Amino acid sequence: IKTNRAVKALALTEPGLGREPKSLGLLETVGQARLRTGDPVGALEAFRTLASLVPDSYPAQELLMRALELNGRVAEALEAAEHTLSLEPKNLPARLGQVRYLAQLGRLDEAQAKLEPLVAEFPYQVDLLLLEGRIAPLDNGGDEAVATLRRAFELQRSNATLMELTRALFATVPGSRGGPIIADSSRPETISYMQRNGFGSITGSTK
């Protein structure tokens, strides 16, 4: 899966899942591979089973949350996000998801109340600024929303510059384009950028 060979991963793991339908490792691997191959419904099936087997595992609940969102099941995704947060209150994807789902369900006051402490805690997080801009009140002609989205744009442009500098730095290391690279503390979008720009062997670390 990490080397973008999800079809082969499915061919290797789905038969095993048929024999061991309650294997936690196989359920997670199959679910991830189905997402990579454009099968969100199949991924949801795997992650729902996984979450039911380990209801007290916040990583499993987070996977279920994401699969529910991809399938357009926003109300259920909100429930999964809140379950994840009951297990791990600091989980950032679940906190972001909670705000996003509340907004999608039209519960804007609740979404804003959950978003404010997140923005204060992570003032340079582009995703948060974009979310804040989308749900900001449209009083005063939408000036607040426009200002927030402008900040997000400027920060995103800065981040893009940093990623390009990272790519150029990596390119100075002999053999860096061919050898395996483990990105221990990189954001997913940084890893994706590097993979698209000549460093296909780079992968995130397994935590």
Side-chain angles (χ1 to χ4, degrees), residues 8-205:
K8 184 171 183 178
L10 276 178
L12 292 170
T13 54
E14 282 192 319
L17 186 61
R19 294 188 296 271
E20 300 179 58
K22 293 186 178 181
S23 167
L24 303 183
L26 286 173
L27 284 166
E28 180 177 355
T29 301
V30 167
Q32 297 280 20
R34 286 174 177 171
L35 283 181
R36 291 290 185 94
T37 56
D39 180 15
V41 175
L44 176 57
E45 178 187 2
F47 291 147
R48 196 187 288 282
T49 301
L50 176 65
S52 70
L53 291 171
V54 281
D56 294 330
S57 165
Y58 80 84
Q61 301 305 320
E62 183 187 327
L63 288 170
L64 174 60
M65 174 194 79
R66 290 175 170 172
L68 286 165
E69 180 178 12
L70 288 172
N71 281 274
R73 306 177 78 148
V74 180
E76 291 179 77
L78 176 59
E79 291 180 5
E82 291 175 342
H83 187 182
T84 302
L85 291 171
S86 72
L87 299 168
E88 179 49 61
K90 294 291 188 180
N91 184 276
L92 184 56
R95 293 171 73 187
L96 278 168
Q98 184 183 41
V99 174
R100 196 164 55 248
Y101 308 143
L102 286 169
Q104 290 175 19
L105 292 169
R107 296 160 61 178
L108 296 183
D109 289 343
E110 293 175 74
Q112 283 183 304
K114 298 290 186 183
L115 182 59
E116 286 174 4
L118 270 171
V119 173
E121 190 175 350
F122 303 100
Y124 301 111
Q125 179 85 292
V126 173
D127 292 346
L128 286 173
L129 290 174
L130 289 172
L131 193 52
E132 184 182 26
R134 290 184 189 127
I135 68 175
L138 296 179
D139 301 338
N140 302 317
D143 288 348
E144 181 183 344
V146 170
T148 301
L149 291 172
R150 194 185 303 278
R151 290 202 311 275
F153 173 77
E154 292 297 332
L155 184 58
Q156 181 64 52
R157 186 165 61 182
S158 173
N159 286 345
T161 301
L162 288 173
M163 284 194 284
E164 175 55 24
L165 289 172
T166 301
R167 184 205 64 77
L169 176 63
F170 274 45
T172 66
V173 179
S176 59
R177 293 182 182 275
I181 302 173
I182 305 299
D184 185 56
S185 300
S186 295
R187 292 173 57 80
E189 57 266 32
T190 304
I191 296 173
S192 177
Y193 178 87
M194 296 294 286
Q195 288 172 338
R196 295 195 310 271
N197 287 275
F199 296 89
S201 62
I202 190 170
T203 61
S205 62

